[in-house]
Amino acid sequence: MGESKGAESRACIVGIGETDYTRRGGISDRSELALACAAVANAAKDAGLDVNDIDGLSSYANDESVPWLMQESLGLPKLRYATMAWGGGGGGCFAAIAQAAAAVESGAANYVAVFRSLCQGQRKRFGQGYGVPHSPGFLDPFGMFAPPFMLAPLAQRYKHDYGIREEQVAEIALSGRANAARNPRAVFKDRPLDLETYLSSRMVADPLRLYDCCQENDGACALVVTTEERARDLSGPVVRILAAGQGAEPGWGSGGLGSHNMPEEDYKAGGGRTLANRLYAKAGIGPEDVDTAQIYDHFTYFVLMNLESFGFCGRGEAGAYVADGNIRWSTGKLPINTSGGHLSEAYIHGLNLAVEGVRQIRGTSTSQVADAEICLLANSSSAAILGRV
């Protein structure tokens, strides 16, 4: 394959779609499958495509909207490719984008819809005790039967070893809520948050307070991925996928769900270091080139860890980094989670962060970073880098 053909076959995002986002239980008249189909149809329309053009599907984290039901419900005449990335929201959301990119670059499909749908009001809740599938019951006797309890020890170790203060951590929640106030799609758009309210909120699992924890929401969103060559035939804006992938340090992949046997240095660091280096190298950039980042904020402390792992500050320095205003829109060096993120827009298991990343590169965010050319989508075990064509 020659160089010009290779350039033409590079993966791009050409469409984004969403449903309404509501608090858990806010959607009672549509199923999780119906929400998924609506988001994909909206993304196809945004791309200037007929939904019948979609011939690939990519999701993650045991999405129950399985491909054959999606094909039947959407009426897709030809489904050539379907995949699901392993891992929870953080481990799978940006990996699903990587798999879609690989599919279109290899010719396995022409237009792949990456989607995630949640209806926690109709089925199991992520914030409720449900056990860990790959370590059956071993953590339950210690009270680690839901995500905040599973992850609190990692946050506590990080806080202890690096002297992180609550006032510093609060900046993650406060800046996200300020961004949500500008976002009409955000569930918490009309609910301001101040430092006093944050500090006086109840402790969920020390050191995680109420406002350190993401929401539980109903809703769906989707992206359409194709090649740059096909994108030229479409009328809408095109966002290039510069790099995307999945991976983690030893033991961290299960750490997100409560493994506490990983190496000590990684346990208090949040993982992501080797993944970051690999994707930066593939994209041909460094952290200094990133204009904005959408960082998986299921819990505030892990945003701090990822700021360090992806090279925006040194190990143990993220508390001071955010306290200095660096993540604030519009004056910070690196505005993050500009839609409000999981803490204040909605928790759609990570994919709404990717939708916001596309908006930033398109220049249509409600908290638009001026002249944004590169956006990082990041978590400790999956990430993607988006850029302008």
Side-chain angles (χ1 to χ4, degrees), residues 325-343:
N326 285 306
I327 64 169
R328 284 274 180 170
W329 184 89
S330 62
T331 56
K333 293 180 182 177
L334 183 77
I336 72 167
N337 298 1
T338 45
S339 66
H342 292 147
L343 293 167

Side-chain angles (χ1 to χ4, degrees), residues 46-350:
D46 181 65
L49 295 167
D50 190 289
V51 73
N52 290 340
D53 293 320
I54 301 295
D55 61 352
L57 296 170
S58 179
S59 192
Y60 56 96
N62 299 320
D63 193 312
E64 294 188 356
S65 302
V66 292
W68 52 92
L69 291 178
M70 291 285 288
Q71 181 182 19
E72 180 178 336
S73 300
L74 287 166
L76 304 181
K78 180 172 60 177
L79 186 62
R80 301 171 55 203
Y81 176 87
T83 186
M84 180 175 286
W86 289 352
C93 58
F94 308 133
I97 296 173
Q99 292 189 359
V104 300
E105 288 176 351
S106 69
N110 294 335
Y111 300 99
V112 178
V114 181
F115 69 93
R116 187 70 172 110
S117 180
L118 292 177
C119 239
Q120 297 192 67
Q122 299 173 10
R123 50 186 291 267
K124 71 180 182 182
R125 292 173 53 188
F126 286 112
Q128 195 171 41
Y130 56 82
V132 184
H134 52 272
S135 54
F138 296 152
L139 296 175
D140 290 358
F142 304 97
M144 295 182 181
F145 50 79
F149 312 129
M150 297 169 188
L151 291 167
L154 286 78
Q156 188 69 270
R157 183 60 184 267
Y158 172 77
K159 178 184 180 183
H160 174 272
D161 281 14
Y162 295 119
I164 304 298
R165 303 192 311 275
E166 286 190 313
E167 292 82 358
Q168 296 172 327
V169 182
E171 183 63 20
I172 304 297
L174 296 178
S175 64
R177 189 63 62 91
N179 293 339
R182 292 180 287 271
N183 178 6
R185 300 176 306 277
V187 176
F188 282 168
K189 60 182 179 296
D190 298 322
R191 295 183 57 181
L193 179 66
D194 57 35
L195 180 60
E196 182 180 359
T197 303
Y198 170 90
L199 293 174
S200 63
S201 66
R202 64 181 174 86
M203 191 70 72
V204 175
D206 197 6
L208 302 175
R209 293 188 175 276
L210 177 63
Y211 296 109
D212 292 314
C213 304
C214 70
Q215 304 176 68
E216 293 179 284
N217 300 106
D218 294 349
C221 53
L223 315 167
V224 175
V225 177
T226 190
T227 60
E228 190 170 331
E229 180 180 28
R230 290 191 182 89
R232 296 194 191 108
D233 297 327
L234 304 175
S235 58
V238 178
V239 173
R240 181 176 291 162
I241 302 172
L242 301 178
Q246 185 176 29
E249 284 69 35
W252 181 258
S254 56
L257 287 177
S259 171
H260 301 282
N261 297 314
M262 68 188 78
E264 182 178 346
E265 288 305 307
D266 293 325
Y267 188 85
K268 63 184 181 181
R273 173 175 37 85
T274 56
L275 174 65
N277 291 339
R278 176 159 52 90
L279 294 191
Y280 281 145
K282 182 177 180 181
I285 67 164
E288 67 279 2
D289 299 307
V290 176
D291 299 304
T292 178
Q294 313 302 321
I295 301 178
Y296 199 91
D297 55 336
H298 53 343
F299 300 103
T300 52
Y301 282 81
F302 296 88
V303 175
L304 296 177
M305 296 179 193
N306 279 311
L307 285 168
E308 296 170 5
S309 294
F310 282 82
F312 299 108
C313 53
R315 186 61 68 196
E317 296 176 358
Y321 181 83
V322 300
D324 286 343
N326 285 306
I327 64 169
R328 284 274 180 170
W329 184 89
S330 62
T331 56
K333 293 180 182 177
L334 183 77
I336 72 167
N337 298 1
T338 45
S339 66
H342 292 147
L343 293 167
S344 292
E345 182 189 39
Y347 182 72
I348 311 298
H349 227 178

Side-chain angles (χ1 to χ4, degrees), residues 136 169 250 272 318 352 356:
V169 182
N352 56 311
E356 174 64 11

